[in-house]
Amino acid sequence: MTDITPSKTPPRGHGPLARREARLAWGLLLPTILSVSLVVVLPLLSIFWISFKPIGLADLRPPVPVAREDLRDAGEASQHVRYRLQNRSQDKPITDVVLTDTLPEGVTAGTLPEQCALDGAALTCIIGTLDPKARLTLELPVTFAAGFDAEALEDAIEDETEALATGKADNILTNAEFTFENFARIFDDDEFLAVLWATVFYTVVGTVGALVVGLFAALLLNKEFKGQGLLRGLYLFPYVAPVIAVSFTWVILLDPFSGSVNALLVQMGLADAPINFFGERPLALIMVTVFEIWRYFPLSFLFILARMQSIDTDMYEAADMDGASPFQQFWYLSVPQLLGILSVLFLLRFIWTFNKFDDIFLLTGGNAGTRTLTVNVYEQAFAVSNIGAGAAVAVVVFCVLLVFSIFFLKYVSREEGL
Amino acid sequence: MSFLRHGYVTGPLIGALWMVITGFTVAVVLSFSTGEPFRPVFWACLVWGALMWVPASRRAGPIGALIGGLVLLAATLLGVGPVVVGAEVSGLTAAITGLALALATMVPLRHMLTELPLGAATRHAFEHAVIRFLTGAGYVIFTALVAIPFYVMVMTSLKNQQQLVQNPLDFSIDLTRGWDLLSSYVELFADFGFGGYLWTSFYVSVLTVLITLLFSVPGAYAVARLRFTGRTVFSRSILLIYMVPMIVLALPIYIAFSMTGLRNTITGIVLIYPVTTIPVALYMLQGYFRGLPAEVEEAGLMDGLTRLRVIWKITLPLSLPALASVSLYVFMIAWNEFLLAFMLLDDPSKFTLTRGVAMLNSSEIPRQHLMAGAVIATVPIMALFLGLEKFMTKGLTAGAVKG
């Protein structure tokens, strides 16, 4: 008989049930993890990789040999097919170049060039290395069999059976060439400080502005009246509408030549001449920030209103009885209650404003001192066609963001109990 | 500060500021609706507004307010009022201006000043007056700032080139043009293929919603209900992942799509959109799943259902409102998405709506076409929003950590 003594401590480790539950959980999460890592984590890693690469937009495709063929001296004794090969790259050699072609029926090859071999109708020429900018010509004497139309054969040689050339070239994306030039370039850039300043201004003023305006809007709508729902819906419009629609409307509205706002300002005598809102420093930066506030105040307004409506009204009644004035009630009762949501909103909006790209890109294209870090990513990669520098800016953006996020997680996870 | 708290200081101050607001509002509204010149005079607004305190105050009563309004009307007609009407404006329009100005000034002003005595005011009376003024000003300013861009968008799309050049302030509709009003829209659908873009945007958005739900519902359930090591880390990294800016990812995605031939295909877009929305949807749904009572699910488990059947039979039916909110929110993100569509699509036959509108932004294409395109992109999402506002606002508040 075994002596069963009950354990003094609860069982430790994972039982089979717990393991089964964990397995199920990972199974349910697997599709998400796979897809997200494929599209988020992998690109993030690759952007770090690319940022150390000297790569431009044109380097995305590795160089390939180009082959052309034509029939020379047709009908004469020296009749031959001429193959011309070319490496169009300015600086990269192509190795293991092979030319293949099929001779149409009725065409007989004469003496083959030394690199070539003929297997039935299939011609294979092993060429080896083509240096940068190199050209190579091969001549293959041919005779036409009797009973075939020479014209048709010429067409068949030149058009129907294409000569194909393949080769290997060093791909800049995968080789072991690294450089710090991208980072040096973006940090040395005269504009870098201006970019940083635009980013900081846009992010801080945009975030605080949207919060303050949102708080004001929430105070306006935090009472029951006819049409309250309608007005609330209307105030959400800027956020719900596609950015492309509203930003183009702003551009047209504020256009210096034919915009209504300028016409209005001139007519009212508030401005002597039309103002180029999105084209002048520092007005352009102010205007894109105003746009940001206009477009995102609905979000903070929605959050703050939801929080306000959940505050107990008893407290205000008690304060009323004690003789607190409306401003005192707002300052000593509402604000402390709203502080939590305001700080969460601030952090979130701060990060998202920092990330913002579309709005500025559509309004000014990053001109007139409105180039923020995110717009700079696009500018470097596509406008200047330097993918490496673009990636380097993206890495900077990501690192700044990581710092924010750590701060955010420390703070918000306490607020939201995550 | 305390000297402010006298009716004879607060009253004129509020009156003056309110008159500035009404003066400018009336001028802008009338300019935009008639296209004729109206000019608010800042100093005249201040002076007239301060004076209007007397007839609008509590003592004067409704008769006093009426007299004040009539004085404003007369001043406007004589050309010495807060808003100067251009010489070419007809007498009727000038009268309407005066009337609008009188009404917009006196009625709210009377309401603002009801509690305010002529002399020393209590803190309560003073603050109530100020709050009423701020509220009124807030309604007018917010409504104007939000409504004007949308109004201008719609009206510009109904104009033709000649009208726009002639008077950029005239946003009245010339009904005599009949169906010709919609000529920009007709041209967009007939010549620019906007019907196709509308359809592409629609099915891309719907597919995005479906794929997103398919991935995020099981994931959210696992994070909300099941216990496993790494749960906290996972739910935090979800938050982190959707903080990564799209522009950072767009570059490698562009390179990868260029190399694999997915660039310029709808398939590529449908592959990439859901991944940008899955983290948001997962985050929103797990919050909701946590709020559901676990007991119902446990009862289902006891009765012999498997976990997957529990999700299908119990959790999902219970969370239909949340699913609706999430779907709407994801649909909105996909419908409004611009950056990826702009970078990945070059072929006009495969454009989504936002990409199509971006194409219209060129100097060769007239403005009214661009605005008509903007209206076409905005109307469906607005209709959806207004029709299902309850779900939409819920979705926005639950997931709108994303911008």
Side-chain angles (χ1 to χ4, degrees):
Chain A
M1 267 204 66
T2 45
D3 188 27
I4 302 171
T5 42
S7 163
K8 288 198 183 87
T9 52
R12 289 155 67 82
H14 298 289
L17 262 176
R19 277 206 296 275
R20 218 176 108 192
E21 194 168 313
R23 259 206 309 278
L24 177 69
W26 285 112
L28 291 176
L29 284 171
L30 198 65
T32 305
I33 295 177
L34 281 182
S35 63
V36 167
S37 52
L38 200 67
V39 180
V40 177
V41 180
L42 210 63
L44 272 181
L45 292 179
S46 65
I47 204 113
F48 275 91
W49 177 267
I50 296 167
S51 69
F52 291 105
K53 289 279 184 186
I55 175 175
L57 207 53
D59 298 325
L60 280 185
R61 285 193 195 82
V64 286
V66 186
R68 268 175 300 180
E69 64 177 328
D70 54 355
L71 187 71
R72 308 278 291 181
D73 303 342
E76 292 171 34
S78 59
Q79 168 176 284
H80 61 273
V81 181
R82 186 177 65 164
Y83 295 101
R84 282 176 298 172
L85 283 134
Q86 190 189 351
N87 177 2
R88 285 189 182 152
S89 166
Q90 299 296 306
D91 46 8
K92 290 192 202 73
I94 305 175
T95 55
D96 299 339
V97 178
V98 175
L99 175 83
T100 51
D101 195 18
T102 313
L103 296 180
E105 202 183 330
V107 178
T108 325
T111 357
L112 295 170
E114 51 179 318
Q115 300 99 323
C116 299
L118 195 62
D119 179 16
L123 178 79
T124 314
C125 302
I126 296 163
I127 302 206
T129 306
L130 266 184
D131 289 329
K133 296 190 261 186
R135 292 160 184 275
L136 184 78
T137 311
L138 292 177
E139 288 179 0
L140 177 71
V142 284
T143 47
F144 292 159
F148 283 93
D149 179 21
E151 292 269 324
L153 280 178
E154 187 173 345
D155 284 347
I157 289 173
E158 288 182 356
D159 300 324
E160 282 168 31
T161 61
E162 296 250 348
L164 280 178
T166 56
K168 282 186 200 153
D170 205 14
N171 188 340
I172 186 76
L173 271 179
T174 48
N175 69 8
E177 191 185 342
F178 292 102
T179 172
F180 279 103
E181 199 192 317
N182 294 324
F183 287 97
R185 177 199 285 256
I186 59 162
F187 285 121
D188 282 347
D189 195 354
D190 298 338
E191 288 230 350
F192 189 71
L193 274 182
V195 168
L196 223 52
W197 159 245
T199 313
V200 170
F201 180 87
Y202 181 71
T203 312
V204 173
V205 178
T207 309
V208 174
L211 271 189
V212 171
V213 175
L215 178 64
F216 190 47
L219 284 171
L220 283 183
L221 288 185
N222 189 25
K223 48 182 84 145
E224 289 293 322
F225 61 91
K226 232 185 190 170
Q228 190 237 23
L230 199 75
L231 224 49
R232 199 180 61 175
L234 179 74
Y235 288 1
L236 288 174
F237 268 27
Y239 180 68
V240 179
V243 58
I244 188 142
V246 286
S247 57
F248 283 150
T249 309
W250 271 59
V251 169
I252 282 187
L253 203 57
L254 297 169
D255 187 272
F257 303 110
S258 53
S260 308
V261 169
N262 269 313
L264 204 62
L265 287 180
V266 170
Q267 183 201 295
M268 286 183 173
L270 293 174
D272 299 327
I275 303 166
N276 191 356
F277 284 101
F278 289 118
E280 279 170 24
R281 285 166 199 257
L283 193 60
L285 184 58
I286 296 173
M287 285 314 291
V288 291
T289 313
V290 168
F291 179 81
E292 157 81 18
I293 296 173
W294 180 81
R295 194 160 133 71
Y296 292 101
F297 89 85
L299 205 69
S300 26
F301 140 73
L302 207 59
F303 273 82
I304 297 170
L305 188 62
R307 182 75 189 88
M308 273 179 177
Q309 284 172 342
S310 68
I311 299 178
D312 210 348
T313 48
D314 293 357
M315 210 166 58
Y316 291 101
E317 281 163 24
D320 241 353
M321 297 296 282
D322 290 343
S325 76
F327 282 152
Q328 281 173 324
Q329 286 180 24
F330 171 72
W331 190 248
Y332 294 105
L333 293 181
S334 306
V335 169
Q337 298 267 336
L338 295 176
L339 223 48
I341 188 74
L342 283 177
S343 47
V344 170
L345 268 177
F346 176 80
L347 275 172
L348 281 170
R349 286 308 314 157
F350 193 83
I351 292 174
W352 275 105
T353 313
F354 180 80
N355 284 352
K356 209 71 226 164
F357 166 78
D358 314 21
D359 304 36
I360 299 183
F361 178 70
L362 286 171
L363 286 175
T364 65
N367 295 322
T370 58
R371 198 195 292 179
T372 58
L373 274 172
T374 45
V375 179
N376 206 17
V377 174
Y378 184 89
E379 197 78 9
Q380 299 283 356
F382 293 96
V384 189
S385 296
N386 189 338
I387 295 244
V393 184
V395 166
V396 173
V397 170
F398 183 73
C399 290
V400 176
L401 204 72
L402 209 61
V403 176
F404 290 156
S405 303
I406 291 166
F407 191 63
F408 170 78
L409 271 190
K410 264 189 120 125
Y411 197 83
V412 169
S413 46
R414 214 175 22 192
E415 280 290 333
E416 292 202 338
L418 262 173
Chain B
M1 267 308 270
S2 64
F3 89 97
L4 267 178
R5 252 184 258 144
H6 287 85
Y8 51 80
V9 181
T10 319
L13 216 55
I14 288 180
L17 292 176
W18 181 247
M19 183 61 107
V20 171
I21 290 172
T22 51
F24 278 83
T25 312
V26 167
V28 170
V29 167
L30 284 172
S31 291
F32 274 1
S33 51
T34 63
E36 284 162 354
F38 297 88
R39 184 174 181 156
V41 187
F42 186 72
W43 291 109
C45 282
L46 285 182
V47 172
W48 276 109
L51 289 178
M52 281 304 126
W53 159 66
V54 181
S57 65
R58 188 170 54 174
R59 283 285 189 79
I63 305 292
L66 191 67
I67 294 170
L70 288 175
V71 172
L72 266 185
L73 175 60
T76 310
L77 286 175
L78 290 174
V80 292
V83 175
V84 176
V85 180
E88 64 270 38
V89 178
S90 71
L92 181 68
T93 319
I96 291 175
T97 314
L99 205 62
L101 202 59
L103 277 175
T105 310
M106 296 314 284
V107 176
L109 198 57
R110 241 174 81 73
H111 178 68
M112 287 171 202
L113 301 179
T114 41
E115 282 179 43
L116 201 69
L118 290 179
T122 62
R123 188 168 177 163
H124 271 82
F126 167 71
E127 288 185 5
H128 273 299
V130 172
I131 284 175
R132 284 196 175 126
F133 164 71
L134 287 177
T135 313
Y139 286 138
V140 173
I141 293 172
F142 271 105
T143 309
L145 285 182
V146 172
I148 284 177
F150 289 96
Y151 176 77
V152 168
M153 181 162 98
V154 174
M155 289 308 167
T156 308
S157 73
L158 297 177
K159 300 248 148 203
N160 59 33
Q161 192 67 28
Q162 185 203 347
Q163 289 170 315
L164 282 174
V165 173
Q166 213 171 41
N167 186 356
L169 280 183
D170 186 3
F171 287 107
S172 56
I173 300 183
D174 183 9
L175 281 177
T176 53
R177 285 172 64 209
W179 287 109
D180 200 31
L181 277 174
L182 299 175
S183 59
S184 294
Y185 294 89
V186 173
E187 203 163 315
L188 283 189
F189 278 105
D191 302 340
F192 288 88
F194 262 62
Y197 301 160
L198 208 59
W199 169 240
T200 309
S201 257
F202 175 75
Y203 79 73
V204 164
S205 303
V206 168
L207 279 176
T208 305
V209 170
L210 291 181
I211 299 174
T212 304
L213 286 185
L214 202 67
F215 279 65
S216 59
V217 165
Y221 185 84
V223 174
R225 274 280 185 274
L226 304 177
R227 275 156 304 182
F228 58 97
T229 22
R231 184 162 85 154
T232 344
V233 176
F234 187 84
S235 66
R236 281 186 183 186
S237 41
I238 286 289
L239 255 182
L240 272 190
I241 273 176
Y242 86 158
M243 303 254 149
V244 176
M246 209 55 229
I247 182 75
V248 170
L249 301 180
L251 200 55
I253 288 172
Y254 177 86
I255 295 172
F257 273 30
S258 294
M259 287 178 157
T260 51
L262 278 171
R263 200 159 75 82
N264 234 339
T265 60
I266 299 289
T267 323
I269 290 286
V270 173
L271 281 180
I272 208 81
Y273 276 10
V275 185
T276 64
T277 52
I278 285 172
V280 201
L282 205 153
Y283 177 72
M284 287 163 81
L285 281 174
Q286 60 109 17
Y288 190 83
F289 287 162
R290 258 176 219 194
L292 289 178
E295 289 78 5
V296 192
E297 292 175 19
E298 279 158 16
L301 284 175
M302 293 302 285
D303 287 345
L305 288 177
T306 60
R307 272 284 180 188
L308 295 178
R309 300 282 289 172
V310 165
I311 297 178
W312 183 249
K313 290 237 167 191
I314 299 174
T315 315
L316 281 188
L318 280 177
S319 45
L320 274 182
L323 290 181
S325 300
V326 173
S327 306
L328 269 173
Y329 187 59
V330 169
F331 187 90
M332 185 189 101
I333 294 180
W335 182 272
N336 290 353
E337 208 288 328
F338 162 72
L339 173 61
L340 287 172
F342 180 73
M343 285 179 82
L344 299 179
L345 298 177
D346 296 324
D347 177 359
S349 67
K350 290 169 186 153
F351 281 176
T352 60
L353 201 50
T354 47
R355 182 68 185 88
V357 177
M359 173 190 72
L360 295 179
N361 183 28
S362 101
S363 50
E364 287 129 47
I365 295 172
R367 270 183 300 164
Q368 63 272 26
H369 285 28
L370 177 59
M371 285 298 96
V375 171
I376 295 172
T378 310
V379 162
I381 198 76
M382 284 301 175
L384 209 60
F385 166 68
L386 288 179
L388 300 162
E389 199 198 330
K390 203 180 74 185
F391 292 117
M392 196 76 164
T393 42
K394 210 177 262 165
L396 287 177
T397 32
V401 268
K402 188 169 177 87

